[in-house]
Amino acid sequence: MSDVLLYVIGALAVAAVAASCVAWLQARRLRRLSRALEAFERAGHVGPLRLAEADGQGDETSRLAAQIERMGACLAAQSAELSEAMRRRSELLANVSHDLRTPLAAMQGYLELLLLRQDNLGSAEARNYLQTATRQSERLGRLVADLFELTRLESEGLQPDAEDFGLAELAHDVTQKFALDAGQRGVRLEVRFDAASAAVRVRAEIGLVERLLASLVENALRHTPAGGAVGIETAPVAGRAEVRVIDTGEGIAAAALAGIFDRYDRAERVGGASRGSGHGGMGLAIARRIVELHGGRLRIESVPGRGTRVAFDLPLAAPSVAGASSATPSKLAA
């Protein structure tokens, strides 16, 4: 009995030592995980979280580390997105603040001149001062309206009030709006829809798409010399409808084009963001946001001296709706 007892005691001692070693190793692994998480937290969730213990096919601790590593990657990505959004917003506010001051200072200056010299001004000169102040006031109003519009479009949870409509009808409405301007500039304004593309219907918020298309056409006209052309095209691409505004204007330099979507740019060739137009760089941000709200992407291709193509995509209407009506293809030339 004494030998058996000694054997049992020895086995229990070995088991206790083994359990202590296992517990110590597990505690050591957990401490490493804890230190790595604390370092990740101190770094502000920036950069990838790498854990030596991570193994999706290992034991419970290894699988836990793998899950923590994946969560860390999500947190890092969200932190990077938030930082970029804050940087872009700060840049936008700086640009808008500058552009708001310009018309405000001009308007105030002309009104002060009018007050100071009202007894010595002729009616023609006084009228000129008032007209200039009015133009600056209108420009200021456009800037404020764009700022409110961009804020509304970027509000969380905003969803387009979508309906089915034909792109051909909308394109013709937009070209009609700018027909007189195009004629005065000596620029051909065309709707280039063939029989198939004229029947394309999309599901989107028509007011937003009209604003987007009008902004692109207006900007294309502004930068296309007399004798040139601006055209609107569309075609189904990868289950969506791609809309293109193509001009034969001055184009965009490659250096400006490379980073055009990296920030709220002042690019004078896209979305009405011309320095003198009163959009202060918000036109491009508004255009891009409208497309993003419809699950699409805004793309630009340009060759300096030859022209620019701006394209965006929209969701197609349901097939049953798409076949319910058709549009007559035509071309509007101004």
Side-chain angles (χ1 to χ4, degrees):
M1 291 294 294
S2 59
D3 292 338
V4 174
L5 181 60
L6 288 174
Y7 176 78
V8 171
I9 293 173
L12 289 175
V14 170
V17 171
S20 298
C21 290
V22 170
W24 179 81
L25 289 174
Q26 286 290 82
R28 184 183 179 188
R29 294 171 69 187
L30 290 173
R31 282 196 298 272
R32 284 201 297 265
L33 286 179
S34 177
R35 286 195 294 268
L37 287 172
E38 289 173 356
F40 183 63
E41 185 177 6
R42 286 195 300 271
H45 304 152
V46 176
L49 175 62
R50 295 287 182 260
L51 301 175
E53 306 291 334
D55 182 0
Q57 305 300 321
D59 59 14
E60 291 183 358
T61 302
S62 297
R63 291 198 300 272
L64 174 63
Q67 291 176 340
I68 293 174
E69 199 173 73
R70 288 193 294 270
M71 292 175 61
C74 291
L75 284 173
Q78 291 173 359
S79 178
E81 289 177 3
L82 180 60
S83 297
E84 175 63 14
M86 292 178 64
R87 185 193 67 79
R88 289 168 58 190
R89 177 58 60 87
S90 296
E91 184 176 332
L92 172 65
L93 290 176
N95 290 340
V96 171
S97 297
H98 177 273
D99 286 342
L100 285 174
R101 284 196 299 268
T102 302
L104 187 60
M107 182 172 60
Q108 183 178 351
Y110 278 102
L111 290 175
E112 287 177 352
L113 277 173
L114 188 61
L115 286 173
L116 289 172
R117 301 180 54 193
Q118 59 181 328
D119 296 331
N120 303 318
L121 285 178
S123 59
E125 191 174 6
R127 181 177 179 82
N128 179 58
Y129 284 177
L130 285 173
Q131 287 176 336
T132 303
T134 300
R135 285 195 300 271
Q136 295 301 324
S137 174
E138 291 171 351
R139 182 184 175 194
L140 187 62
R142 289 195 299 270
L143 282 168
V144 173
D146 279 353
L147 184 58
F148 276 111
E149 179 68 5
L150 182 58
T151 301
R152 184 184 73 86
L153 291 173
E154 290 190 336
S155 61
E156 187 177 353
L158 178 67
Q159 294 296 325
D161 185 11
E163 60 181 292
D164 295 351
F165 61 90
L167 279 175
E169 293 90 339
L170 181 62
H172 284 297
D173 288 345
V174 171
T175 51
Q176 285 285 357
K177 178 181 178 180
F178 292 101
L180 180 59
D181 185 26
Q184 292 173 342
R185 294 174 182 272
V187 177
R188 295 194 316 279
L189 183 56
E190 305 171 340
V191 177
R192 304 166 185 162
F193 286 13
D194 57 23
S197 59
V200 171
R201 293 178 64 83
V202 296
R203 184 163 185 80
E205 184 168 333
I206 189 168
L208 290 179
V209 177
E210 182 179 10
R211 169 167 185 169
L212 167 63
L213 194 56
S215 180
L216 297 178
V217 169
E218 179 184 17
N219 203 60
L221 287 173
R222 188 182 302 118
H223 295 278
T224 301
V230 174
I232 304 175
E233 302 177 356
T234 189
V237 176
R240 294 174 68 86
E242 182 175 272
V243 183
R244 312 178 191 107
V245 177
I246 304 173
D247 66 63
T248 59
E250 60 197 38
I252 307 171
L257 190 62
I260 203 167
F261 289 116
D262 292 343
R263 60 192 185 281
Y264 288 116
D265 208 296
R266 292 178 179 274
E268 296 187 357
R269 269 299 296 113
V270 183
S274 177
R275 203 158 177 65
S277 68
H279 290 270
M282 284 183 286
L284 177 57
I286 290 172
R288 180 173 57 181
R289 183 57 183 156
I290 290 173
V291 176
E292 289 175 346
L293 283 172
H294 292 89
R297 188 167 64 94
L298 192 66
R299 303 172 296 281
I300 304 174
E301 298 174 4
S302 186
V303 178
R306 295 181 58 184
T308 300
R309 183 176 80 164
V310 184
F312 60 92
D313 56 284
L314 298 169
L316 289 168
S320 59
V321 177
S325 63
S326 62
T328 303
S330 62
K331 180 183 288 187
L332 173 64

